[in-house]
Amino acid sequence: MLGIDWSDYQAFLAIARAGQLARAASALRMDATTVGRRLRRLEARLGTTLFEQTREGQVLTEAGERLLTAVEAMALAASEVGDGNSTGGLSGTLRISVSEGFGTWFLTSYLAGFAAAHPELTLDLVANSGFLSPSKREADIAVVLSRPKAGPVIARKLSDYALRLYASPAYLAENGTPEQPQDLAKGHRLIGYIPDLLYAPELRYLDEIHPGLAATIRSSSISAQQRLLAQGGGIGVLPCFMGDPNPDLCTVLPEKRITRSFWIVTHKDTHNLARVRAGTKWLVEAVARHRGQLLPGL
């Protein structure tokens, strides 16, 4: 990196954080032509392309991701020398991919605090059926249901979580309360996932309750399943952090408890980026503080 003007690195860092050249120029209080010229000069001297141009703006290449790790460390060190302490100063975009239930019914309760601590950071919470891949750089952080077996990623266990059977009091009053797992096969409507649309094998629950059970009301959305259960549609499995707080649900066969795990995954090339480290730390601390919601009774 010797022989390259620090201002070129500042232009690169601003574009990486803003995601668009025009926004980076605005942040630097410069015109976009000058910022673009500095980026091209840096790429020429390094002999590599640092960004890909997309419809949404500039996206880091693999070489860009590697350079960003080093330049963010340089910028942080410079700020510490300048004022004697680090303010955090996170900016850019942090994309976190999580399951629909965990994102919607757990993380959203705590995300505002993290956002308030880093007002210049844009947070993307991708909470749906399926996961974006850190190994393909689709997300900075992913919370998944099993440890990846391959790929350039770093994974650590975030937490176990518990699931139980739930139904509405109205449904049980009308159809009776099962006393044993085999009772579920005797005239009860079961709610669950669509088997051929499962995005993870860990979502197959009913066979663990009793062999041969099958849902007759099915949805790819766990939020839709929760709503169906609360409205008296039948009996189904929910994470306890979704089922226990809902006043329209009660547990069925409470001794039948299922345990699954969340794993936090980042890419090897980007896990040391300041925003990724901060996001990972926040996730770990949020789960540690509120583990009772994930594993009630323990």
Side-chain angles (χ1 to χ4, degrees):
M1 294 185 184
L2 295 177
I4 299 177
D5 192 331
W6 172 240
S7 64
D8 294 347
Y9 288 121
Q10 289 177 310
F12 162 77
L13 184 58
I15 298 169
R17 287 174 168 175
Q20 288 186 355
L21 195 147
R23 286 206 300 256
S26 177
L28 292 171
R29 297 182 181 178
M30 300 169 58
D31 63 86
T33 301
T34 300
V35 175
R37 183 170 63 248
R38 289 183 177 179
L39 172 62
R40 290 191 296 274
R41 183 170 63 191
L42 179 61
E43 290 180 324
R45 289 182 177 175
L46 294 177
T48 189
T49 300
L50 299 173
F51 293 96
E52 294 177 2
Q53 180 66 47
T54 70
R55 254 185 281 179
E56 289 75 29
Q58 279 69 36
V59 176
L60 286 164
T61 62
E62 290 190 21
E65 293 279 11
R66 289 193 294 271
L67 180 62
L68 182 59
T69 301
V71 174
E72 282 198 324
M74 293 163 60
L76 179 60
S79 70
E80 289 174 344
V81 170
D83 63 14
N85 62 75
S86 172
T87 60
L90 300 181
S91 60
T93 300
L94 179 68
R95 178 164 293 179
I96 304 173
S97 175
V98 296
S99 64
E100 178 191 5
F102 183 64
T104 303
W105 301 96
F106 184 85
L107 281 188
T108 51
S109 299
Y110 314 112
L111 190 63
F114 181 62
H118 304 287
E120 295 185 9
L121 184 66
T122 298
L123 293 170
D124 290 348
L125 182 64
V126 184
N128 54 20
S129 298
F131 301 104
L132 301 182
S133 171
S135 67
K136 298 178 182 177
R137 290 183 171 80
E138 295 172 337
D140 299 301
I141 301 171
V143 178
V144 300
L145 299 180
S146 63
R147 184 170 194 162
K149 296 181 174 60
V153 297
I154 294 174
R156 60 180 287 189
K157 191 172 183 178
L158 182 59
S159 179
D160 290 333
Y161 68 100
L163 308 97
R164 288 195 177 103
L165 286 161
Y166 293 89
S168 71
Y171 173 87
L172 297 176
E174 180 180 347
N175 297 277
T177 300
E179 296 182 0
Q180 301 178 66
Q182 54 266 38
D183 294 342
L184 294 168
K186 301 173 183 176
H188 283 286
R189 294 190 302 273
L190 301 182
I191 293 172
Y193 284 103
I194 303 170
D196 60 338
L197 295 182
L198 285 175
Y199 59 89
E202 290 78 15
L203 300 177
R204 299 184 187 278
Y205 306 130
L206 291 178
D207 265 344
E208 293 186 36
I209 302 294
H210 184 70
L213 291 178
T216 55
I217 302 178
R218 310 186 300 190
S219 174
S220 60
S221 165
I222 191 66
S223 297
Q225 291 177 42
Q226 186 206 48
R227 189 167 177 80
L228 285 164
L229 292 168
Q231 292 182 343
I235 300 174
V237 176
L238 291 174
C240 292
F241 61 78
M242 291 181 65
D244 286 356
N246 192 319
D248 297 321
L249 292 173
C250 57
T251 56
V252 177
L253 299 172
E255 73 282 359
K256 298 298 292 186
R257 175 171 166 142
I258 296 171
T259 301
R260 292 289 189 267
S261 301
F262 287 130
W263 294 80
I264 187 167
V265 183
T266 55
H267 195 284
K268 286 182 178 178
D269 290 344
T270 58
H271 77 281
N272 274 326
L273 295 181
R275 65 180 185 273
V276 177
R277 290 200 311 269
T280 300
K281 181 174 181 287
W282 164 70
L283 275 167
V284 170
E285 291 178 350
V287 165
R289 284 196 303 269
H290 305 284
R291 198 175 302 276
Q293 295 178 37
L294 300 173
L295 290 166
L298 294 184

